[in-house]
Amino acid sequence: GENVEQHPSTLSVQEGDSAVIKCTYSDSASNYFPWYKQELGKGPQLIIDIRSNVGEKKDQRIAVTLNKTAKHFSLHITETQPEDSAVYFCAATTDSWGKLQFGAGTQVVVTP
Amino acid sequence: DTGVSQNPRHKITKRGQNVTFRCDPISEHNRLYWYRQTLGQGPEFLTYFQNEAQLEKSRLLSDRFSAERPKGSFSTLEIQRTEQGDSAMYLCASSFRSNQPQHFGDGTRLSIL
């Protein structure tokens, strides 16, 4: 089955700097890669997703890149703000309507 | 806009007791998913439904676990004879159709005494 590894496990950045989180996946058939943000006591909230027919997608300060050859994808957050502090999860699946395989998460702390 | 609703938010029970959680998906969402999340880990897939049909179950879903979605709307997840290892956050998600993302509820946190 699919295996997703996520790095780093913790990330501390100064407000205004950029944050990058990287994930690798094992199943070359995976074709859908969502990113979720989870705040304390809350469920995961979708922030951006990308499909295998696209190499990059951007939404305001958030961008995701996908390298199918290397089987890795990354989340980029620019101009970080304190409200970006949360745990971020990447996920992968061979069927966007099926089960998601999640990474272990990255705790992002943005310090003022 | 009503999101995925889960009840209760927190359940504390003694080992050996049965517990049941409820999930109300976003209206008209055909697929409903259950995941389990332990501290410091990402959610792990348990099972999912399309309408009332249970399409897939993870090996994590032992015989003590059962899930239903009787009328294709809300779903229940029951754990019988709870064990310490069942302590976790149980998350529900729903999606409308193929190529649409999964939206999660805020989960039910289960604590086993």
Side-chain angles (χ1 to χ4, degrees), chain B residues 6 21-23 32-36 44-49 67-68 75-77 90-93 108:
Chain B
Q6 292 190 247
F21 313 137
R22 175 176 171 130
C23 171
L32 185 149
Y33 311 78
W34 286 99
Y35 291 82
R36 182 173 70 186
E44 295 175 294
F45 170 77
L46 292 178
T47 187
Y48 77 83
F49 295 83
E68 293 183 342
S75 175
T76 58
L77 178 67
Y90 290 84
L91 293 163
C92 177
T108 294

Side-chain angles (χ1 to χ4, degrees), chain A residues 32 34-38 42-47 89 91 98-102, chain B residues 2-6 23-26 29 31-37 42-47 89-95 101-107:
Chain A
Y32 176 65
W35 286 88
Y36 287 85
K37 174 184 181 182
Q38 187 172 30
K42 300 279 192 180
Q45 178 186 12
L46 180 76
I47 55 172
F89 292 98
K99 61 185 178 186
L100 296 174
Q101 181 68 43
F102 283 84
Chain B
T2 304
V4 176
S5 177
Q6 292 190 247
C23 171
D24 287 88
I26 295 171
H29 276 201
R31 285 213 177 175
L32 185 149
Y33 311 78
W34 286 99
Y35 291 82
R36 182 173 70 186
Q37 185 178 27
E44 295 175 294
F45 170 77
L46 292 178
T47 187
M89 173 80 85
Y90 290 84
L91 293 163
C92 177
S94 70
S95 67
Q102 295 180 28
H103 297 275
F104 283 81
D106 286 336

Side-chain angles (χ1 to χ4, degrees), chain A residues 3-109:
Chain A
N3 183 50
V4 178
E5 294 190 356
Q6 182 171 348
H7 300 280
S9 58
T10 59
L11 182 59
S12 183
V13 295
Q14 288 273 348
E15 182 178 358
D17 288 348
S18 296
V20 180
I21 303 170
K22 298 181 179 181
C23 289
T24 60
Y25 60 98
S26 60
D27 191 342
S28 56
S30 288
N31 56 16
Y32 176 65
F33 308 91
W35 286 88
Y36 287 85
K37 174 184 181 182
Q38 187 172 30
E39 296 175 334
L40 202 59
K42 300 279 192 180
Q45 178 186 12
L46 180 76
I47 55 172
I48 196 167
D49 57 7
I50 191 168
R51 300 184 188 280
S52 59
N53 59 347
V54 175
E56 184 174 357
K57 184 176 178 181
K58 193 173 182 180
D59 183 4
Q60 299 183 340
R61 297 185 297 108
I62 293 174
V64 58
T65 58
L66 172 65
N67 183 328
K68 288 187 294 182
T69 303
K71 290 191 284 187
H72 67 71
F73 56 113
S74 300
L75 178 71
H76 304 253
I77 306 173
T78 59
E79 300 172 18
T80 53
Q81 301 168 4
E83 52 265 38
D84 294 328
S85 296
V87 179
Y88 291 80
F89 292 98
C90 63
T93 182
T94 59
D95 173 9
S96 64
W97 214 13
K99 61 185 178 186
L100 296 174
Q101 181 68 43
F102 283 84
T106 297
Q107 174 77 62
V108 173
V109 177

